[in-house]
């Protein structure tokens, strides 16, 4: 049984734990919250942090690498990412930390891991396709648009973790964000809006994906209610109904969400 456990997902920090089954160990995708919070969240669900076999890093923004140095020192696992991301991390982690460029055909903790490029304002930004037996997970956060490369790697997944960062009207009305930041967020190298995420979910659901996790919701320009409502409305236009045709959750920003097992 595959487990997907969101430890935190938002603009202030991101980390996910995945396991391919009991006794297989697990993987972390990103460590953008403190090592203490990650260890505590895993322990709270009866998961031994030392069973983590590796950390996959999507890119080098602080909300994805904040806890990397301490966590890698404590648990001793290798870190995988693009060459550009690892070059950045080499100035952060302790000497002797294993930094391994990720490539196709990798197997970690009983997952086959395939990286793919995402379009974001971080050099070498990645998403991941993970396969364990007959189960496939597509993981794509921090992307300004769903490129053909992203689409092809998400297609056919049983579960997709997809960014749904901002509501367009809420972003434009946000007084805390200067206009250049709003432009950066909404650009093709920024983040994915609720509308864009919902459109992608509908296309995937029509092709068989039945489980979705909305991720990386902004505190300032989104709410879980807005993100979920936008996705459900778009799916309903295809006559796809929750619990009958799909399951949908929004990962919590600042605390662990319920693990998904399937």
């Amino acid at each position: 049984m595959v487990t997907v456990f969101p430890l935190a997902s938002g603009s202030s920090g991101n980390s996910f734990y995945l396991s391919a089954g009991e006794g297989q160990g697990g993987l972390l995708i990103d460590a953008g919250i403190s090592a203490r919070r990650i260890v505590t969240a895993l322990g709270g669900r009866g998961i031994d942090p030392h069973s983590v076999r590796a950390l996959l890093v999507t890119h080098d923004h602080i909300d994805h690498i904040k806890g990397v140095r301490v966590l890698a020192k404590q648990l001793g696992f290798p870190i995988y990412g693009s060459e550009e991301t690892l070059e950045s991390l080499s100035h952060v982690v302790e000497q002797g930390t294993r930094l391994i460029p990720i490539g196709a055909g990798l197997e970690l903790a009983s997952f086959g891991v395939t990286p793919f490029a995402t379009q974001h304002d971080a050099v070498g930004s990645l998403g991941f396709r993970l396969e364990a037996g007959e189960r496939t997970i597509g993981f794509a956060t921090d992307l300004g648009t769903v490129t053909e490369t992203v689409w092809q790697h998400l297609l056919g997944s049983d579960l997709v973790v997809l960014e749904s960062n901002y509501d367009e009207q809420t972003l434009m009305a946000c007084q805390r964000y200067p206009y250049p930041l709003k432009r950066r967020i909404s650009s093709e190298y920024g983040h994915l809006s609720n509308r864009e995420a919902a459109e992608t979910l509908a296309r995937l659901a029509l092709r068989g994906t039945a489980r979705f996790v909305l991720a990386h919701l902004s505190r300032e320009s989104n709410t879980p209610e807005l993100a979920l409502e936008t996705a459900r409305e778009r799916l309903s236009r295809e006559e796809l109904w929750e619990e009958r045709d799909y399951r949908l959750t929004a990962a919590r920003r600042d605390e662990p969400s319920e693990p998904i097992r399937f």
Side-chain angles (χ1 to χ4, degrees):
M1 180 177 291
V2 171
T3 298
V4 177
F5 182 18
L7 308 182
S9 187
S11 301
S12 57
N14 297 270
S15 188
F16 282 71
Y17 170 83
L18 291 82
S19 171
E22 189 173 351
Q24 304 301 315
L27 299 175
L28 288 174
I29 299 181
D30 290 336
I33 57 177
S34 71
R36 176 178 293 182
R37 286 178 61 190
I38 289 173
V39 168
T40 299
L42 294 175
R45 289 289 178 172
I47 301 166
D48 179 3
H50 287 90
S51 71
V52 175
R53 302 285 184 251
L55 169 66
L56 309 179
V57 179
T58 58
H59 62 292
D60 65 354
H61 287 171
I62 190 63
D63 57 324
H64 296 261
I65 66 167
K66 179 180 180 180
V68 166
R69 182 185 67 82
V70 174
L71 200 64
K73 181 180 180 181
Q74 289 180 349
L75 303 182
F77 50 55
I79 300 171
Y80 291 82
S82 68
E83 291 185 2
E84 296 89 346
T85 296
L86 297 183
E87 170 61 25
S88 179
L89 287 177
S90 69
H91 304 289
V92 174
V93 299
E94 300 282 333
Q95 187 174 4
T97 300
R98 290 172 289 166
L99 300 175
I100 304 174
I102 193 168
L106 181 66
E107 184 164 327
L108 294 169
S110 296
F111 282 105
V113 181
T114 302
F116 56 90
T118 55
Q119 192 164 291
H120 189 49
D121 58 357
V123 179
S125 181
L126 297 175
F128 303 104
R129 182 180 177 94
L130 305 104
E131 299 177 78
E134 296 181 354
R135 301 297 194 188
T136 301
I137 299 164
F139 189 96
T141 65
D142 292 70
L143 64 167
T145 189
V146 177
T147 63
E148 183 62 22
T149 295
V150 172
W151 170 252
Q152 290 299 327
H153 284 85
L154 297 182
L155 188 61
S157 298
D158 298 289
L159 180 148
V160 166
V161 178
L162 184 67
E163 177 174 61
S164 190
N165 181 255
Y166 66 95
D167 172 74
E168 291 165 318
Q169 290 185 342
T170 306
L171 175 65
M172 289 301 110
C174 180
Q175 296 184 352
R176 292 191 60 181
Y177 285 175
Y179 183 66
L181 178 57
K182 293 177 183 180
R183 286 190 62 185
R184 176 246 166 188
I185 290 169
S186 60
S187 77
E188 289 189 352
Y189 287 87
H191 292 280
L192 209 63
S193 71
N194 291 346
R195 178 183 55 80
E196 293 165 319
E199 184 65 32
T200 304
L201 263 58
R203 293 175 65 201
L204 289 167
L206 288 169
R207 291 160 177 80
T209 301
R211 294 175 176 85
F212 300 101
V213 179
L214 303 180
H216 211 295
L217 275 66
S218 168
R219 183 187 306 279
E220 304 299 333
S221 57
N222 207 0
T223 66
E225 293 77 17
L226 278 172
L228 290 167
E229 179 184 0
T230 303
R232 287 169 178 147
E233 190 280 329
R234 179 63 185 87
L235 287 158
S236 71
R237 283 193 270 137
E238 303 295 343
E239 298 186 354
L240 296 167
W241 307 107
E242 197 165 9
E243 297 304 324
R244 188 193 73 178
D245 300 305
Y246 67 90
R247 295 182 180 180
L248 174 68
T249 62
R252 296 170 183 163
R253 298 186 191 96
D254 299 315
E255 60 182 357
S257 303
E258 285 299 311
I260 301 167
R261 297 183 173 91
F262 63 103

